[in-house]
Amino acid sequence: MQFDRMKKYVFLFFIALMTFACKKEKATDPIIDPGNEFIILDVPVGFPYPNIPSDNKPTLNRIALGEKLFFDPILSRDSSISCGSCHLPGLKFTDGVALSLGISGRHAMRNAMTILNVAYQPYSFWDGGVPNLEQQVLAPIENPNEMDFDVNLAVERLRNNKDYVADFQKSYSLEPSVYTLTRAIACYERTLFTGKSKYDRFIYEGDSFALNTSEKNGMIMFFNEEADCFHCHVDYNFTDFSFQNNGLYSVYPDSGRARITGNASDVGKFKVPSLRNVELTAPYMHDGSIATLEEVVEHYNSGGQPHPNKSNVVRPKNLSPQQKQDLVNFLKALTDE
Amino acid sequence: MKKLFSIAAITLACTTLLFTSCKKDKSEEPTPSTEQNLTMHLHSNVGTHAANYDSTFINSAGQRFTIEDYRMYISNIVLIKSDGSELPITGKIFLTNPEIDEYELGMVPVGNYKGFRFIVGLDSTINHSDPSTYPSSNPLSVQTPSIHWSWNSGYIFWKVEGKVDTTVAQTGPVNVDYLYHIGMDEFKRTIDFTTDAFSVNSGQDQVIHLNFDLAAALINVDMTSELMTHTMDDMMLATKIANNWQSAFEVE
């Protein structure tokens, strides 16, 4: 009887053991980190919510990691420059020079664009050669005139850094890799918005006193055929993201979009940039060749140089000095308050 | 005693059960007579010499050069069965280099084949996929040195770099950089060996021996003056080289 009971216990013990034997080891209950909850981005009033890749939804931890990487020179060959060296927050994520400085005093090929509102960009760079933000991260790291580094070696540096290993684990539950590096930086960049200017107050908040008379006159010209800016600089972000030849040169040393497509009809075409904060993002054009807003307005007023690919809307406008000043004043009303 | 024995028996039974309960079912080995392993041996040559990163070579125009990086993507391999039907070798993409000859295609049905074909390069979907999404063991992951254009998202299908003697008399040092990076969708090339019959016999793994002659790939390229193409910046030179690929391959 006693033995029978014992048999029963032994049997039950093994059944229990079998039930648990196939289960994976359960980690101790994970502490819920609020930094890993998906968040809703704080999009400016009047703006649509941007498309976000399903594998890179924003969390506070991911954004913090991306920001840390963005400003860390660890990603350049000689650890001298970071993304933030050419995209300075104080200059609306531009750098104030015609061509950005890479490592060892080298110059980048084109002017550093702002990355504010980059969440809305359908493709990256002046020539649109890269289809999304995640892949864009690779280009400045590899570019010999910028960070001039091997992405795999950059990842190796991150793997040898205890803090980064912990950061990546915390935010992506993965080790540093090309995948997580590109995700983290893109995740941060998608949080950088701009859309709180006098113009926005006027348009989206119905504050009719937000713009003065000169700015209003400039706005009217901007949005009609008189100055004809709105064909390309449209919508909440003041760009249609098209590629246009704006008559900057008759012969382009930099072929622009044609560098990607190989089409002669794309020579001298560059992606239309946003005009938000344009007052603070001088110098202008893909090569930073125009120093001031007044000169930019004069360029478009003159109709630019002849070129077979030049946009039809770039033609002589014969604006008066007051009209040009109104346009400049309107452009300055696009600066975040 | 009897009771003790029965406890021991139950214990033993349970223990056995315990240790076998987690094992996966063993599937039956494939019958060796219906499938065999097929491997491609790609021999990288320059003329009659094996290509390597140490020697100085001579092209068909008598120009001396060295090789520092020499890789190409081979994908979309298709075997043509004797009845004309096609057997695509799915999921196999190779990034070749002169230091590796063997590229395993995997198990294929025993039988007679009329030939095969493949492409040098990648089809458009893969060409524009995100390299950061591949594990590092995958040839499509970011390589060191890179074989992907990060500024014009796409892979470099065929890459040769090294140094060349640019003197007319070919008595100078071999010290001027040359660089041929060929990519973009329209530069992939189908390499056709659809009439080079072979058979895969039961009980015997098969090897297809292929040669690729770099000198033939660079025929009509004046390496002393045509020093560089990233494809986009010299489409003529890139086209000339890509159009040489088929004739640079031969089945041994």
Side-chain angles (χ1 to χ4, degrees):
Chain A
M1 188 60 194
Q2 217 185 355
F3 270 114
D4 277 347
R5 202 181 295 157
M6 203 163 144
K7 265 194 281 186
K8 201 165 92 186
Y9 288 142
V10 170
F11 184 73
L12 283 175
F13 170 74
F14 275 99
I15 293 291
L17 207 60
M18 269 168 57
T19 315
F20 292 115
C22 295
K23 273 198 188 155
K24 274 186 199 163
E25 223 170 84
K26 239 193 185 172
T28 44
D29 263 354
I31 302 152
I32 305 296
D33 180 351
N36 282 333
E37 281 171 22
F38 295 137
I39 62 160
I40 304 293
L41 299 177
D42 190 12
V43 172
V45 179
F47 283 37
Y49 199 77
N51 292 323
I52 291 173
S54 57
D55 71 340
N56 201 17
K57 290 182 185 162
T59 67
L60 292 178
N61 285 340
R62 290 175 177 185
I63 295 164
L65 171 59
E67 182 173 16
K68 182 174 165 183
L69 288 163
F70 189 89
F71 292 103
D72 192 337
I74 194 169
L75 299 178
S76 58
R77 177 186 290 279
D78 60 1
S79 300
S80 63
I81 60 168
S82 70
C83 312
S85 303
C86 303
H87 299 285
L88 301 159
L91 287 174
K92 299 294 177 189
F93 290 87
T94 65
D95 59 2
V97 296
L99 302 176
S100 304
L101 265 182
I103 69 160
S104 311
R106 297 170 198 172
H107 283 281
M109 185 177 161
R110 295 173 184 148
N111 183 256
M113 275 184 154
T114 179
I115 57 166
L116 293 172
N117 289 347
V118 81
Y120 299 104
Q121 296 271 349
Y123 25 70
S124 292
F125 297 119
W126 283 98
D127 57 22
V130 177
N132 57 53
L133 266 188
E134 278 74 9
Q135 288 194 66
Q136 185 278 334
V137 171
L138 301 171
I141 299 175
E142 288 185 348
N143 191 318
N145 292 324
E146 297 179 29
M147 297 185 184
D148 190 31
F149 204 25
D150 182 307
V151 176
N152 289 323
L153 297 180
V155 166
E156 207 176 298
R157 276 189 195 165
L158 297 172
R159 284 186 180 170
N160 290 330
N161 181 311
K162 270 195 302 194
D163 291 346
Y164 270 121
V165 171
D167 292 339
F168 277 91
Q169 196 59 44
K170 193 169 71 171
S171 49
Y172 285 95
S173 302
L174 291 166
E175 58 183 350
S177 66
V178 180
Y179 179 80
T180 46
L181 164 65
T182 52
R183 261 79 205 150
I185 292 181
C187 191
Y188 164 64
E189 290 174 334
R190 282 200 186 89
T191 67
L192 303 173
F193 292 104
T194 174
K196 287 176 179 154
S197 65
K198 283 202 268 183
Y199 168 80
D200 295 295
R201 246 193 309 131
F202 182 83
I203 291 290
Y204 297 114
E205 293 174 31
D207 179 357
S208 53
F209 298 105
L211 298 181
N212 64 32
T213 308
S214 172
E215 290 160 350
K216 281 181 193 165
N217 288 340
M219 179 176 72
I220 291 163
M221 266 189 295
F222 185 97
F223 286 111
N224 71 23
E225 314 288 331
E226 215 170 347
D228 230 349
C229 312
F230 72 104
H231 280 288
C232 303
H233 295 289
V234 293
D235 291 343
Y236 56 94
N237 210 21
F238 287 86
T239 171
D240 62 359
F241 303 107
S242 63
F243 299 97
Q244 302 290 342
N245 179 316
N246 67 357
L248 199 57
Y249 303 111
S250 289
V251 178
Y252 279 81
D254 177 347
S255 64
R257 179 68 180 160
R259 184 167 179 250
I260 303 301
T261 64
N263 297 333
S265 60
D266 285 330
V267 170
K269 289 188 180 173
F270 294 87
K271 187 172 66 183
V272 174
S274 172
L275 295 181
R276 289 189 169 277
N277 306 297
V278 71
E279 178 185 12
L280 304 175
T281 61
Y284 306 104
M285 307 299 161
H286 69 275
D287 55 359
S289 58
I290 300 188
T292 66
L293 272 186
E294 286 75 10
E295 290 168 281
V296 171
V297 167
E298 189 49 57
H299 166 75
Y300 287 111
N301 183 49
S302 76
Q305 304 294 318
H307 192 284
N309 296 336
K310 189 168 77 172
S311 162
N312 291 333
V313 297
V314 181
R315 57 171 196 277
K317 304 273 173 21
N318 300 314
L319 301 178
S320 72
Q322 182 57 49
Q323 285 177 309
K324 286 187 273 188
Q325 190 55 53
D326 291 344
L327 266 180
V328 169
N329 289 343
F330 171 64
L331 292 172
K332 288 181 178 174
L334 302 179
T335 303
D336 273 5
E337 291 180 302
Chain B
M1 189 63 198
K2 204 179 151 193
K3 281 174 180 171
L4 208 64
F5 178 75
S6 68
I7 288 173
I10 290 171
T11 310
L12 189 70
C14 290
T15 312
T16 316
L17 211 57
L18 184 66
F19 280 101
T20 52
S21 59
C22 292
K23 270 193 192 159
K24 279 184 192 161
D25 274 5
K26 243 192 188 171
S27 56
E28 289 291 307
E29 293 287 326
T31 319
S33 57
T34 59
E35 284 195 334
Q36 290 295 145
N37 197 50
L38 182 63
T39 304
M40 180 181 80
H41 274 203
L42 177 65
H43 308 288
S44 302
N45 300 320
V46 183
T48 54
H49 302 278
N52 58 58
Y53 294 150
D54 310 309
S55 313
T56 300
F57 299 98
I58 300 175
N59 70 11
S60 52
Q63 297 159 345
R64 299 182 307 138
F65 67 99
T66 61
I67 306 168
E68 290 169 3
D69 191 352
Y70 174 20
R71 290 175 287 167
M72 74 173 117
Y73 279 105
I74 289 182
S75 66
N76 288 24
I77 303 163
V78 176
L79 307 185
I80 319 291
K81 290 180 173 173
S82 55
D83 64 0
S85 64
E86 300 193 344
L87 176 70
I89 307 293
T90 49
K92 288 282 178 184
I93 292 174
F94 300 121
L95 177 57
T96 73
N97 75 62
E99 285 164 338
I100 293 172
D101 278 2
E102 281 189 34
Y103 301 91
E104 203 179 300
L105 275 60
M107 301 300 282
V108 302
V110 163
N112 294 321
Y113 292 86
K114 281 184 174 174
F116 60 99
R117 67 166 187 267
F118 55 88
I119 66 172
V120 170
L122 302 165
D123 66 42
S124 182
T125 310
I126 290 174
N127 188 27
H128 300 294
S129 60
D130 178 351
S132 75
T133 59
Y134 297 101
S136 56
S137 58
N138 190 305
L140 296 169
S141 64
V142 175
Q143 302 290 307
T144 296
S146 177
I147 191 151
H148 177 267
W149 284 315
S150 51
W151 52 273
N152 180 9
S153 297
Y155 289 87
I156 302 172
F157 299 159
W158 194 88
K159 176 177 184 178
V160 184
E161 290 179 13
K163 298 214 166 14
V164 61
D165 175 1
T166 54
T167 62
V168 176
Q170 284 297 306
T171 51
V174 182
N175 67 351
V176 178
D177 290 332
Y178 73 88
L179 174 159
Y180 306 127
H181 291 184
I182 313 220
M184 298 187 69
D185 291 342
E186 60 263 44
F187 283 83
K188 69 169 188 266
R189 291 288 182 273
T190 299
I191 308 299
D192 236 313
F193 289 110
T194 43
T195 57
D196 287 77
F198 65 97
S199 50
V200 176
N201 299 321
S202 189
Q204 202 183 335
D205 289 339
Q206 179 61 287
V207 177
I208 295 174
H209 287 275
L210 272 180
N211 289 330
F212 187 84
D213 178 6
L214 183 57
L218 296 175
I219 215 153
N220 298 325
V221 174
D222 181 353
M223 292 181 74
T224 65
S225 61
E226 294 176 303
L227 286 166
M228 187 174 85
T229 178
H230 294 91
T231 306
M232 285 315 316
D233 54 3
D234 194 340
M235 300 271 268
M236 297 266 285
L237 178 54
T239 305
K240 191 156 66 175
I241 294 170
N243 289 347
N244 285 337
W245 290 340
Q246 168 82 55
S247 56
F249 278 103
E250 63 164 14
V251 175
E252 222 171 64

